[in-house]
Amino acid sequence: MGRKSDHHQPAVLLLLLELLLAIPSTSAKAGVELSSSVILFYDSELATPMYGSAVPQCELLLRRAVRHGGKRIQLVPTHYWYDKRYESQDQNACLPDNWADTDLRVDYYCSKWAWDAPCKPFTKKSIASFRDAMRKCLSLAVQLYEEVLIAPHLDLVAGSSKRGKWRNMLRFDPLQKDRHGNSYWEIMLQPLLQAANDAFNSSKGKTLHFAMGGEMGGTLLNHPAQYLKIFNATRAAWKAPARLQLGVTFYHAYTPGQINHQPDPKGVKPLPDSPLGTLDGGYGPLLPYDKWPGVAQLRAVLPDFKRLLQEAQFIGVSNYARAPADVQPSHMEGSTAKLLAEFAAMGVDTQQLLSSGKQLIWNEFGLGGGIGSCNDVPGIDARIGLFPWLGITGSYEQKIDPFKQSLAAKEYLKKYYAAALQLLAAGGGGYPVHGAYMWNVASWDVQGIHTSAAVWNTSVVQADWPVRKGFAVADVAGMIQAHNTRFRH
């Protein structure tokens, strides 16, 4: 295991030169930038200075991200759902198979002011506060960027252990009211729409990509008619001169919120050993459609789901692309291929879908450097490419940073991003790509944007930009910035 300073070195210049020479000759217009994400977990981060900063977290992250040369940004606001059955679960326990629990329900929706604050059920006042705070956040995003993607998240508040229950498996109705009389539409999508209408009010020529959620396939596939109603309501309410694009995003497997893959035949699984380890990531063979759990319900709503896909103007995929030691650009398309295979099993004409002008977006992309299901085991070599969705979370310490502890892991990280940038420079390979957004949090945050990625000087103007302390990897951040400078359009 080796260590190496993260400062820029001549080697990165050689890597950049090799990367640019390897890119097929193509017009600048064909290339796609690799954009950043502003991930927001708590209401205080939207419009209130916190964490010792003079400005709100949203503004801080937006201004850090724009330094990396992109014209596009993703905002990920987070609310929570409460399920009483899990309130006593040990939050410090490693429960590696938690992701696979499909017995999930919404008792009520709630929001957290800060990480250590209680999750409070929504009221008309708190919904209005969320709307107003998002308006401020979005207004700055519109000033700094040409395109904004909003992909909201729901997380489980009770029993959120080191690996919590997964929103993808929550098959909730977005229009159904909880015990406090609130629906997902009312606490999340509608206030975001209202905030965006105001923020984009004088932004002709700019674009809002508005996703119904991120990695929430269970709700989309089981209640597509409700989302069609939301599409119609959103289009009817949109008054801003900016271009509105409505879309749906998915994890690259388990799209119905059920286990529809067999175990990995090679036995590949992260640590620690667990009964469902070989199902993690969904890399085993896809089950025949008639063997999928809940297939009767899916068949009943399939016509509406096909219509939802047709009406969506973009489709997003969480592109945590599994890759071997000798990583190539083609490996970066594996997640898209998996997602489309699930669509095809349901009878969706995927060729027609992609040729109909639909935009394909990587709404999450990254390599976290972890090999443990609970995001607490750093990898030391190319094995990290088998589990790109796993990383290291919690307070930063150099001893748990895979890219500071292992030269081999860092070198693989460079190759992984070089392969992705080569594919994006060509606008995609077998699947054309319209946009790509990194998952800028904890060890996935190679740009060092989020406060979870390092111990920051929290002023807006950074004296030591780019950050060389924390999970940021300056070599890779430099590659991305050079790429984005080339393909800004």
Side-chain angles (χ1 to χ4, degrees):
M1 189 184 301
R3 290 192 183 186
K4 189 176 180 181
S5 169
D6 203 32
H7 292 267
H8 281 289
Q9 304 207 12
V12 71
L13 299 178
L14 293 175
L15 182 63
L16 270 172
L17 181 60
E18 291 172 3
L19 169 67
L20 295 176
L21 290 174
I23 295 172
S25 178
T26 182
S27 67
K29 190 174 182 180
V32 178
E33 71 174 55
L34 182 53
S35 312
S36 306
S37 296
V38 169
I39 302 167
L40 302 159
F41 295 103
Y42 312 113
D43 288 353
S44 61
E45 297 177 336
L46 301 178
T48 304
M50 296 285 287
Y51 313 127
S53 173
V55 299
Q57 173 90 332
C58 178
E59 178 179 343
L60 196 62
L61 302 189
L62 285 169
R63 294 192 184 280
R64 288 174 183 167
V66 79
R67 294 169 178 260
H68 291 278
K71 285 192 172 183
R72 298 170 176 170
I73 194 72
Q74 175 177 212
L75 293 178
V76 185
T78 305
H79 287 332
Y80 299 85
W81 91 87
Y82 180 82
D83 188 333
K84 183 176 177 59
R85 295 170 299 168
Y86 301 117
E87 66 181 351
S88 62
Q89 195 172 83
D90 183 356
Q91 296 193 16
N92 294 314
C94 178
L95 303 173
D97 293 335
N98 253 2
W99 67 270
D101 190 349
T102 60
D103 183 25
L104 304 175
R105 69 183 182 212
V106 174
D107 286 334
Y108 59 83
Y109 302 103
C110 59
S111 65
K112 292 172 69 73
W113 175 253
W115 69 272
D116 56 349
C119 202
K120 295 183 178 181
F122 282 95
T123 63
K124 289 183 179 180
K125 183 178 179 180
S126 64
I127 293 172
S129 295
F130 170 66
R131 177 200 64 210
D132 295 344
M134 278 303 307
R135 180 189 298 120
K136 294 178 182 179
C137 179
L138 281 167
S139 294
L140 180 59
V142 172
Q143 291 178 36
L144 297 177
Y145 301 89
E146 297 302 312
E147 288 190 17
V148 178
L149 166 63
I150 301 177
H153 277 191
L154 276 179
D155 284 340
L156 177 66
V157 64
S160 51
S161 68
K162 288 184 178 180
R163 187 163 196 178
K165 309 292 182 177
W166 187 24
R167 75 184 73 86
N168 186 67
M169 303 310 207
L170 180 63
R171 303 185 298 278
F172 67 98
D173 180 338
L175 297 181
Q176 182 175 325
K177 295 182 182 294
D178 65 13
R179 67 165 66 171
H180 296 285
N182 300 309
S183 68
Y184 176 69
W185 159 253
E186 291 166 324
I187 60 99
M188 182 72 88
L189 298 179
Q190 187 177 46
L192 286 173
L193 169 62
Q194 293 167 344
N197 246 329
D198 292 340
F200 281 85
N201 190 43
S202 57
S203 302
K204 187 176 181 180
K206 297 200 174 185
T207 301
L208 170 65
H209 285 82
F210 191 10
M212 299 297 97
E215 289 189 359
M216 291 161 61
T219 179
L220 291 169
L221 264 73
N222 287 273
H223 301 282
Q226 304 294 63
Y227 284 99
L228 285 167
K229 292 178 183 177
I230 290 172
F231 270 17
N232 291 335
T234 302
R235 291 191 184 107
W238 186 249
K239 306 301 180 185
R243 186 184 183 199
L244 173 67
Q245 301 275 281
L246 297 179
V248 288
T249 70
F250 301 88
Y251 189 65
H252 52 78
Y254 305 131
T255 54
Q258 299 276 14
I259 304 297
N260 60 350
H261 283 254
Q262 299 175 55
D264 187 326
K266 296 180 180 179
V268 177
K269 55 185 174 181
L271 300 173
D273 192 12
S274 67
L276 303 181
T278 55
L279 289 166
D280 202 341
Y283 280 94
L286 182 63
L287 291 168
Y289 183 50
D290 61 1
K291 301 296 184 183
W292 289 15
V295 69
Q297 160 68 8
L298 294 175
R299 282 198 172 112
V301 301
L302 184 57
D304 287 327
F305 179 65
K306 289 181 177 180
R307 186 176 157 209
L308 181 66
L309 290 180
Q310 290 297 337
E311 290 203 15
Q313 290 152 301
F314 68 92
I315 295 174
V317 57
S318 290
N319 188 22
Y320 295 107
R322 174 171 281 186
D326 183 23
V327 57
Q328 300 296 321
S330 60
H331 295 131
M332 299 296 112
E333 298 196 293
S335 295
T336 301
K338 286 177 60 188
L339 175 65
L340 294 179
E342 294 204 6
F343 287 173
M346 291 184 278
V348 175
D349 186 339
T350 57
Q351 184 174 2
Q352 186 277 332
L353 190 69
L354 292 180
S355 63
S356 64
K358 205 82 58 189
Q359 295 176 349
L360 178 67
I361 289 176
W362 299 353
N363 57 286
E364 290 188 26
F365 175 79
L367 177 65
I371 58 172
S373 292
C374 293
N375 293 314
D376 56 0
V377 183
I380 60 172
D381 53 28
R383 184 172 167 79
I384 62 176
L386 299 178
F387 314 106
W389 63 95
L390 300 176
I392 303 298
T393 57
S395 300
Y396 180 80
E397 294 182 83
Q398 184 167 315
K399 67 182 181 181
I400 60 172
D401 184 340
F403 311 121
K404 299 293 192 301
Q405 293 299 309
S406 168
L407 177 61
K410 181 179 176 182
E411 291 303 311
Y412 183 81
L413 178 79
K414 292 183 195 177
K415 293 177 183 178
Y416 189 92
Y417 269 88
L421 293 175
Q422 184 175 337
L423 186 72
L424 293 175
Y431 310 105
V433 180
H434 171 79
Y437 298 85
M438 287 174 287
W439 191 241
N440 290 102
V441 71
S443 66
W444 295 266
D445 189 2
V446 295
Q447 295 173 314
I449 290 172
H450 199 273
T451 49
S452 66
V455 178
W456 272 85
N457 168 5
T458 52
S459 64
V460 174
V461 179
Q462 300 297 330
D464 61 345
W465 189 271
V467 175
R468 294 183 174 88
K469 294 180 179 179
F471 287 117
V473 181
D475 290 0
V476 178
M479 291 165 57
I480 296 167
Q481 188 166 12
H483 171 90
N484 288 349
T485 300
R486 183 184 180 196
F487 295 108
R488 283 172 64 91
H489 62 80

